[in-house]
Amino acid sequence: MKPLTFTLHLRNMHPFQSFPLKSLLLLTSVIGVLFFFQRCERVRLPLQGEELRLEITAEAVLVTEVWLRLEVEPVPEDGVWQLWRGDSVVWQAAVTDSDTVAYDGGLLPNHRYTYQASLVQEGKVLARSKSLALTTMDTTSHDFEWEVIEFPSPFGSGALYDVAIID
């Protein structure tokens, strides 16, 4: 049995010269459109039978400010976050991803606040989160106790030349 051999004849021709240009453009356009729709995560709501999940959690609760994480699934198209403190909207932004962090400042120390997130699309409330109750931290008494720490060094003396206290 003889081995099967192939012969390739190359000419001085551009690689795509034998392939019609219109077909190539059509093929790349179709691949581009399919890639775009495959990567698109945002959906138009409300969807039939699909539940929208909206959650709010505390990222950081400080003396006069709070940082809250807002999460939604699936991500709506043209949606707007609203963060409510009591009965007032204190923050809002366009929904661009499945989660975001919201900031509320100028709060009172050692005070209880209740937050709720809502998702609005075209003026209609699509979903609300459960309420989240937080208490801001209290201020300190400023009665600090200092401790001296020695840094031994093989060169005779150890020294700490700079200290930074943040917040």
Side-chain angles (χ1 to χ4, degrees):
M1 180 182 257
K2 285 185 169 184
L4 191 58
T5 58
F6 294 96
T7 306
L8 179 63
H9 297 281
L10 298 175
R11 294 185 232 154
N12 291 335
M13 174 165 83
H14 191 274
F16 295 112
Q17 200 170 9
S18 63
F19 196 75
L21 185 59
K22 288 182 181 179
S23 299
L24 180 64
L25 290 174
L26 178 64
L27 179 65
T28 55
S29 298
V30 168
I31 290 172
V33 168
L34 290 175
F35 181 76
F36 174 75
F37 283 114
Q38 179 184 6
R39 294 290 178 195
C40 190
E41 295 178 14
R42 299 174 68 157
V43 294
R44 191 84 177 149
L45 291 175
L47 296 174
Q48 289 286 355
E50 187 162 6
E51 193 74 22
L52 189 65
R53 185 186 62 82
L54 182 61
E55 292 183 15
I56 182 172
T57 54
E59 281 287 305
V61 181
L62 305 173
V63 177
T64 60
E65 61 190 40
V66 295
W67 295 82
L68 302 165
R69 179 169 299 277
L70 310 176
E71 297 177 84
V72 65
E73 204 172 287
V75 179
E77 184 179 309
D78 301 327
V80 175
W81 293 110
Q82 287 185 341
L83 179 63
W84 294 76
R85 180 181 57 198
D87 58 356
S88 302
V89 175
V90 293
W91 181 88
Q92 68 179 20
V95 177
T96 57
D97 206 351
S98 62
D99 71 336
T100 190
V101 176
Y103 167 82
D104 187 22
L107 305 175
L108 297 173
N110 196 27
H111 194 82
R112 186 175 178 85
Y113 294 98
T114 303
Y115 290 94
Q116 187 175 34
S118 64
L119 192 65
V120 179
Q121 184 182 60
E122 297 174 0
K124 180 182 174 187
V125 176
L126 297 177
R128 293 186 195 277
S129 70
K130 294 180 180 178
S131 293
L132 177 66
L134 301 172
T135 303
T136 53
M137 295 172 61
D138 198 4
T139 57
T140 64
S141 66
H142 301 286
D143 185 19
F144 298 108
E145 290 186 26
W146 296 95
E147 180 181 348
V148 176
I149 301 172
E150 295 185 19
F151 297 96
S153 171
F155 304 109
S157 69
L160 180 64
Y161 291 107
D162 192 15
V163 175
I165 299 173
I166 299 171
D167 203 5

